[in-house]
Amino acid sequence: MIFSRTWLNKQINPDASLSVLFVQLKKAGFEVKLLLPTTFDFSGIVIGKILSIEPHPNADKLQISSVTIGEGEPLSIICGASNIYENMVVPVAVVGAILPGNFQIKKAKLRGEESYGMICSAKELGLSAGSDGILGLPDNAPVGKNAFEYLNLSDDL
C-alpha cells in the first residue's frame, strides 16, 4: 500500500519525525519497506463523471462512455474496464495528459470509434501495483478539479 505523508498526518501526530513514524508504524503491525518522497509522475488528470455508457459497436469488451470534466462538451472515451457505471466519479486523463512512464494521452481511434482521453485505474496513475478496474472517487468529488490536488498527493518526506 502506498499512502502520502499528508494523509498519514491526518491520522496521527503530524509533528513526529520520520524515524519515529517508521517505528510507530512497525509497532502497529504495518510492514514498512521504505519511506520515499511522493513523486507521482502524472499531469493533466482531472475529476470526471460518467454520464452514459454504451457498447462499442465493433468490440465486445469495449464501451463508449460520455464523460463530463466540468467544462466544454462531454468527452467520448472508450474504456475496457468492466467496473464502470453511469454517474461514477473517476480520474480522467485528458488529451495531452502525461501518465507514469512518460505515457502521453492522445486522441485515438479504437476499432473505428474516436476516444478523447482515458478513464484511469490506480495502477495507471502509479498509485498501486495492481488494479481491479477503474479508480472510483467519492460521489461528491468536485468534477473538473485537478485529481493530483484532490487526492492530496503533493507532499514529501
Side-chain angles (χ1 to χ4, degrees), residues 1-111:
M1 173 195 267
I2 299 170
F3 53 87
S4 73
R5 173 84 187 247
T6 303
W7 176 87
L8 185 61
N9 284 347
K10 290 179 182 177
Q11 313 304 316
I12 61 171
N13 177 3
D15 296 326
S17 70
L18 285 179
S19 59
V20 169
L21 285 176
F22 187 84
V23 170
Q24 288 176 339
L25 288 169
K26 287 185 87 66
K27 283 183 180 179
F30 290 98
E31 178 183 344
V32 181
K33 292 183 180 178
L34 65 141
L35 301 172
L36 295 171
T38 55
T39 55
F40 295 101
D41 187 20
F42 62 81
S43 66
I45 314 299
V46 297
I47 297 171
K49 184 174 187 176
I50 299 173
L51 301 175
S52 64
I53 302 169
E54 61 184 64
H56 190 295
N58 303 314
D60 293 337
K61 294 185 179 183
L62 296 177
Q63 302 172 84
I64 302 174
S65 301
S66 176
V67 181
T68 182
I69 57 168
E71 60 182 42
E73 294 293 316
L75 303 174
S76 179
I77 299 177
I78 297 174
C79 183
S82 61
N83 72 318
I84 62 171
Y85 54 88
E86 289 183 3
N87 296 313
M88 183 178 188
V89 179
V90 294
V92 177
V94 297
V95 172
I98 305 292
L99 295 176
N102 204 30
F103 179 74
Q104 184 173 14
I105 300 299
K106 298 176 182 169
K107 179 177 116 176
K109 197 172 228 182
L110 299 166
R111 301 254 179 139

